[in-house]
Amino acid sequence: MAAVSRRARSEREILSAAARTLADRPTAGMGEIASAAGIARGTLYRYFPTRESLLQALEAAADEEARQRLEEANLDQVPVDEGLARATRALVAVGEHFIVLLRERRPPEPGFTAVLAALLLRGQSGGQVRADVPVDVLVESLLVLVGVCVRAGRGAGTGSEDISSIALRLFLDGARRPPSDPALEGEVGD
Amino acid sequence: MAAVSRRARSEREILSAAARTLADRPTAGMGEIASAAGIARGTLYRYFPTRESLLQALEAAADEEARQRLEEANLDQVPVDEGLARATRALVAVGEHFIVLLRERRPPEPGFTAVLAALLLRGQSGGQVRADVPVDVLVESLLVLVGVCVRAGRGAGTGSEDISSIALRLFLDGARRPPSDPALEGEVGD
Amino acid sequence: MAAVSRRARSEREILSAAARTLADRPTAGMGEIASAAGIARGTLYRYFPTRESLLQALEAAADEEARQRLEEANLDQVPVDEGLARATRALVAVGEHFIVLLRERRPPEPGFTAVLAALLLRGQSGGQVRADVPVDVLVESLLVLVGVCVRAGRGAGTGSEDISSIALRLFLDGARRPPSDPALEGEVGD
Amino acid sequence: MAAVSRRARSEREILSAAARTLADRPTAGMGEIASAAGIARGTLYRYFPTRESLLQALEAAADEEARQRLEEANLDQVPVDEGLARATRALVAVGEHFIVLLRERRPPEPGFTAVLAALLLRGQSGGQVRADVPVDVLVESLLVLVGVCVRAGRGAGTGSEDISSIALRLFLDGARRPPSDPALEGEVGD
DNA sequence: TATGAATGAGGCTTCATTCAT
DNA sequence: GATGAATGAAGCCTCATTCAT
């Protein structure tokens, strides 16, 4: 058991180092990742016999983290609006851990997009979400908007709550100024 | 004149082939690009002495096309809503030509984002665009949403007008169902 | 210690193979050198990340060997004549190892020319060496004469002692027949 | 005839430009040489269909110039000492034109070395030149000493006469101080 | 098991040479 | 005849991967 947990710990640390390294330089090689993890190249290959397997593990880790957070969020037991707010916060949290995945990787990670799709579909059925846009486009849109906001927030030092809030507003309400929202009246003047 | 135009034509054809090739396989090498353009590797290097220079030329071409389309759109002489519609159509048109640039490339090409930023700033001042989100985040959001819609539309065979329409709606109004738009009442049921 | 010495041994063997290969074909590529050393191209690059670095290492090795031999010769503790004889023998020995450096390489390797210059300068001061020729020209002359004699000797299978003897005589006394040397009287006839 | 002479003039100019260019950068490519000659790459290939043919022409030109100068010197009709002086002056003159040939080129250009060999052989027979060194080694020695002196002189701005004088003294009398030459007594002190 | 050397396939680039205008 | 574009072979170098210690 000790070996397993040590191994698991190492694997996490390696993946964490890989995520950090690749976030900065997406073209970083195995040697650079190994250095960042404080191990030798050969050791990295003992854990991940292939670069592709490392990337997949990274993706799986993000997927798993997202899946877990979204599951804990009980999206299907709250109203759609609240569900989207929770989902956005979860995605931002994951995105901050795995910025590298916000670019580059093509397939939309079917592992956790399903639950997002289900939520949005419920929203469409219930009339809270527009139905003139395919659900998968909505899912992708939410993901890229989260990506944009996380990246922008990272540069500006914005907190996770604010990032989530902006991402959610952009996704749900768009860039148009809400005409009747008194909470915003003062910000721009009228 | 003949020589110049031939060279210019060849360059365009090469860039076009490069855009097509890289859109399919972002890691395509110079040899593959040369083959796609119907020339030899050495000839490709006559035009672009470096892979980096080819990518920059590609980016510059997209930038130029976008700049030109946006300029022709007279964004600053029409209402903000109409301006955003025109801008979105322009970006979709460019995006369809240079899908490769919708991923991978980091800097948001300051060449043509300025005019978008100006338009959105005018919208914020005039009250049509929300002011609680930084302008550059809005610009990035529009770009990635266009990217999502172009990629999705490409897979589904959707026409440019429909793609532009969806992208604009997502950007401006978000995913929330417009509560009072009778045009959409019938689509999902109520 | 084992690791260090193994590495050092490999490096020496590679340099030795490189010297041999380049002596035959000065334009030999890295692959050819690697083959001659019995290793793969990539391995050669592990030791010398650049062709230039390999050439520099080669030059440095010759420089070091020359410096060491000249140092052991205690040139500054013997009469100038004896010093020049020792220096010539040392240069011939080095030259036989690094024939490749007797051509091609431009800068006269300041590492070990200094001691030669010092010796010749002492000779000029002491009246044994002509003072109407700059010291650095004398140094260069000795080096190229050694090169000529080593190359010629190599083709003719002459031994190092004879090569050194000829080089020294050419350098010190020139091509003119020593008018009063009875030891040579008989060789050409009179 | 006009065409022929124009061609001949061009060829000379090209070779001259090639000699100059290669003297500075021995690895210069055909394009660089063509540029230096003020013509296009293709044109250079009209004159010299191969890089090797250009180098051979260059060598042949130097050989021819040397042969002609040495022939005009009537080496076989003057005393050996005077002959060597004339030969050295001729070689220095040629060397200043074709510095590039003072390095790199391996075979000692049999075209004009024959006359040098003949002269030295006559010297050996007559007792003016030492006989304990093979003639071809003497020839090579003279050539490399001329090379050293030309290069050194070029850097120091020395005139051709002085360069020739130093080269001849080094070749004939070597580096040893002539014990009984009163002309040098004052230079070093005694 | 961790290490670091060895490997070799593949990429980028140069350059001598040929070809069409 | 002169030009400049086109060619492709060959060089240098990187990096994912394997092997021996």
Side-chain angles (χ1 to χ4, degrees), chain B residues 75-139:
Chain B
L75 300 186
D76 54 355
Q77 294 170 16
V78 296
V80 170
D81 271 25
E82 173 61 16
L84 285 171
R86 292 183 178 186
T88 303
R89 282 194 291 270
L91 292 173
V92 166
V94 177
E96 289 182 322
H97 264 117
F98 295 94
I99 284 195
V100 59
L101 297 175
L102 296 180
R103 2 174 155 155
E104 307 273 347
R105 304 266 82 192
R106 274 319 83 209
E109 298 93 26
F112 69 91
T113 54
V115 56
L116 295 176
L119 177 62
L120 288 163
L121 203 57
R122 179 155 66 94
Q124 287 185 328
S125 299
Q128 300 94 341
V129 172
R130 73 185 324 149
D132 55 345
V133 174
V135 165
D136 57 340
V137 173
L138 291 176
V139 170

Side-chain angles (χ1 to χ4, degrees), chain C residues 112-169:
Chain C
F112 68 91
T113 54
V115 58
L116 295 176
L119 178 62
L120 288 163
L121 203 57
R122 179 154 68 94
Q124 287 186 330
S125 299
Q128 300 96 337
V129 172
R130 72 186 324 150
D132 56 345
V133 173
V135 166
D136 56 342
V137 173
L138 292 175
V139 170
E140 279 263 4
S141 297
L142 176 56
L143 293 176
V144 297
L145 287 175
V146 165
V148 164
C149 294
V150 167
R151 275 204 299 273
R154 181 176 232 221
T158 315
S160 298
E161 281 296 329
D162 288 338
I163 291 176
S164 302
S165 170
I166 294 180
L168 180 61
R169 259 178 285 161

